[in-house]
Amino acid sequence: MEGRRAARSGIQAEVLTSLGLVMVLSSAVLAAMLVAHHERTLRELVGRALVAEARAHTPALQGFVPGTRWWTVRADGRVEPRSPLAGAIDTESRALADDARAHGEPRLRPGALWEEIRIGVPLDATGAVAVAALPREASVRLRAAALGVVGGVVAVNVAIFAALGAFVLRRRVVSPLQRLAAVARALAAGDAGARAPVEGTAETAALARAMNEMSESLEQRTLALEKAVVELREANADLRRARHGLARAERLAAVGRLAAGVAHEIGNPIGAILALVDLAARDPGLGEDARGHLARASREGTRVREILRQLLDFSRPPRASAGPVDLAAVAQEVLALVAAQQRYRRVAFRVVAAPGTPTARGDASAVTQILLNLVLNAGDACADREAPRVELHVRAAVAARRAGDPPDAPPPPRRRADAVECVVADDGAGIDPADRERIFDPFFTTKPPGEGTGLGLPNAALLAEEQGGALELVEPPAGFRTALSLRLPLFEPASGDASARGVGGRAGAAQGAAGYASDFAAPAPDSKPGPGQSSSGPAG
């Protein structure tokens, strides 16, 4: 099929070939008419000249045509040469003499191109006839000019027709069709915006308009299909998020049931053990080694009780009381609380608040607990760096971003800011890509054994959801390796509550920071982080 298609000739070649054949045939007819006309003219001119030469009493030495042979044929059949080159008369010349005598008028036989021209002319009443035979070269010479003219006319006619036909065909038919073919190939290559110029004959212009209508319809369908694909991708992304949310909810429910059971079964025995250890430590007869062992047992028992308290907080989070929260003020209070600890003396903490940041809605104590956990994790993640840095960026945000929106950019102009976010960024070692989906799973931690329980980030995420917000891992700002974003909805006070904006947030933050100061008090230089400090960055 491809070979046959490639062997097909174009419309220009086929039309020119067909019309050229017609032109050749018409030119052949014209040439035949011209040759016939020339033969008639030749007969008249040559006949008159030869008749005059035959009736002359003294024929010229050269004659009308040099080399002509003349004879006189008498009525009794005798033949007399009239020219030096006459020689013996041939049969055809004798027969022509008899024919001229019989008709009583000159008889001319031109013959073919390669034959001799003969003439018989009656001379007198006695029946004498003068017969002449022109040489073959004369026959060719007398007709060659006419044949050349006829051939030239035919050649020029065909050349003009071919050139003019090729020009008209290419301009009016072939070139527009070639442009239509180029547009069709562009459409096949995926360029739905290709359009064909409306030009050429009426049929070609109609075809171009039809192709443009087809390309416009194809472009509209392509745009509709692309829109449907985008919507389908967004729907699939929503389904994946919903599936992950359901899986996380199932895990949280399982952890809640486990925490309730552990707290019920272990809480009371641990309290009794701590009380007995305290009583044993009061014995004045104990040695230093025994007192050290009891002190260590008391510390480990206290740690177990703290873990149980975190489990209870995770399984039964306190009901949040929503109110205005100045997120920048809470961040400053949290940094003041953490920076006072000896283990973070090398870390450079800083709050970067965007001008005009609105007030968030939430529970100040819960927000303080979330930010405290994030800042402690960030400090632990970068504490070993040469110049550790932790920054808190507070700014307006949108509650739900679209695909492709940069997480560290301000809200896009197409959407009104409806949330406030605080991005906690550190320059630690970063998070392993394999752990990015697990950092909010209960009991997942990358800290060494005994330094983390893996409940800090899940508890913080649960508290954020309780307040209508979200806690997410986002792309860090330039110069940082890890960033977590806490987003809270905007606070929209009722009429008469404008005075509460900013004041309640700062007071709630101070109250929340004071409430958690006892849990995160500055430890001794050789102490380890508390059990509630799950990791971010390299700590997970």
Side-chain angles (χ1 to χ4, degrees):
M1 179 63 71
E2 292 297 331
R4 291 197 297 271
R5 184 179 298 128
R8 292 176 182 172
S9 58
I11 183 173
Q12 181 176 357
E14 292 187 1
V15 172
L16 285 179
T17 301
S18 301
L19 295 181
L21 180 61
V22 174
M23 189 64 187
V24 169
L25 292 177
S26 62
S27 299
V29 173
L30 177 62
M33 295 174 62
L34 291 176
V35 169
H37 176 71
H38 178 266
E39 287 292 329
R40 289 194 300 270
T41 304
L42 181 65
R43 290 169 66 93
E44 293 178 359
L45 295 177
V46 173
R48 291 195 190 101
L50 292 177
V51 168
E53 185 175 349
R55 291 175 179 175
H57 297 287
T58 304
L61 294 177
Q62 296 295 330
F64 174 67
V65 177
T68 302
R69 296 177 295 164
W70 283 95
W71 300 273
T72 300
V73 181
R74 302 295 179 180
D76 56 3
R78 288 181 300 112
V79 178
E80 299 175 0
R82 295 186 62 182
S83 63
L85 301 176
I89 191 171
D90 56 276
T91 305
E92 293 183 6
S93 298
R94 186 181 289 276
L96 180 61
D98 295 338
D99 185 47
R101 186 182 300 110
H103 286 82
E105 61 181 8
R107 305 292 288 179
L108 178 68
R109 291 182 181 176
L113 178 65
W114 56 89
E115 295 179 344
E116 297 175 339
I117 299 176
R118 292 180 172 84
I119 189 172
V121 182
L123 295 177
D124 50 30
T126 62
V129 177
V131 180
L134 278 69
R136 289 186 175 87
E137 296 79 7
S139 176
V140 175
R141 187 169 60 252
L142 291 173
R143 293 169 174 171
L147 293 177
V149 170
V150 171
V153 169
V154 172
V156 171
N157 192 12
V158 171
I160 293 175
F161 171 80
L164 184 61
F167 173 75
V168 173
L169 279 177
R170 173 164 292 278
R171 182 177 180 182
R172 302 290 293 171
V173 178
V174 176
S175 295
L177 289 179
Q178 289 176 345
R179 283 187 279 273
L180 288 177
V183 172
R185 284 191 291 269
L187 291 175
D191 183 9
R195 297 292 184 272
V198 180
E199 60 183 352
T201 61
E203 293 79 4
T204 307
L207 179 60
R209 284 191 291 269
M211 181 171 290
N212 289 339
E213 293 174 0
M214 180 188 68
S215 61
E216 290 174 0
S217 176
L218 180 62
E219 184 177 15
Q220 293 176 359
R221 294 184 181 183
T222 301
L223 293 176
L225 181 60
E226 291 177 353
K227 182 179 178 181
V229 170
V230 171
E231 292 176 352
L232 181 60
R233 288 177 179 173
E234 292 178 353
N236 289 335
D238 293 339
L239 289 177
R240 284 194 297 270
R241 286 192 293 269
R243 184 184 62 188
H244 293 162
L246 289 175
R248 184 170 180 272
E250 292 178 358
R251 292 196 297 270
L252 293 179
V255 171
R257 291 191 295 269
L258 175 64
V262 168
H264 178 73
E265 297 295 334
I266 301 178
N268 292 333
I270 286 296
I273 291 174
L274 288 176
L276 293 175
V277 169
D278 184 62
L279 289 175
R282 297 176 185 178
D283 187 355
L286 292 177
E288 292 298 327
D289 292 340
R291 290 185 183 277
H293 293 324
L294 289 176
R296 182 176 181 183
S298 178
R299 288 195 301 271
E300 295 300 324
T302 302
R303 182 171 179 272
V304 171
R305 186 170 62 182
E306 290 294 328
I307 293 175
L308 291 177
R309 183 183 64 80
Q310 292 183 22
L311 285 173
L312 290 175
D313 290 342
F314 184 74
S315 61
R316 296 191 301 272
R319 185 178 299 274
S321 57
V325 177
D326 187 344
L327 204 53
V330 174
Q332 291 286 4
E333 297 288 347
V334 169
L335 288 192
L337 186 63
V338 175
Q341 300 188 40
Q342 181 66 21
R343 63 183 300 171
Y344 301 119
R345 65 183 183 276
R346 297 177 54 251
V347 181
F349 294 98
R350 187 169 71 126
V351 174
V352 180
T357 301
T359 303
R361 177 174 59 84
D363 181 79
S365 298
V367 173
T368 302
Q369 182 177 352
I370 296 171
L371 291 183
L372 193 56
N373 188 281
L374 297 181
V375 172
L376 288 172
N377 285 342
D380 290 339
C382 66
D384 297 334
R385 309 291 288 183
E386 182 178 350
R389 292 185 302 147
V390 175
E391 287 189 0
L392 281 70
H393 295 261
V394 182
R395 60 199 175 195
V398 290
R401 296 182 181 273
R402 293 182 180 177
D405 287 348
D408 56 347
R414 67 173 182 271
R415 303 187 61 183
R416 181 179 63 88
D418 56 357
V420 184
E421 73 172 348
C422 178
V423 178
V424 181
D426 65 77
D427 61 349
I431 299 178
D432 192 324
D435 296 335
R436 296 177 70 88
E437 299 293 332
R438 304 175 57 194
I439 62 173
F440 294 107
D441 291 346
F443 302 110
F444 174 77
T445 181
T446 58
K447 285 186 176 182
E451 293 190 10
T453 61
L455 289 174
L457 285 181
N459 192 27
L462 186 60
L463 288 174
E465 292 176 1
E466 288 286 332
Q467 299 174 85
L471 180 62
E472 297 177 353
L473 181 66
V474 297
E475 290 298 322
F480 294 89
R481 303 292 299 278
T482 308
L484 286 143
S485 171
L486 169 64
R487 281 199 303 275
L488 297 175
L490 286 180
F491 176 73
E492 298 179 356
S495 59
D497 292 343
S499 60
R501 184 181 300 272
V503 177
R506 183 178 296 274
Q511 180 183 358
Y516 286 92
S518 60
D519 291 337
F520 298 97
D526 58 348
S527 64
K528 296 181 180 179
Q533 302 169 15
S534 64
S535 58
S536 72

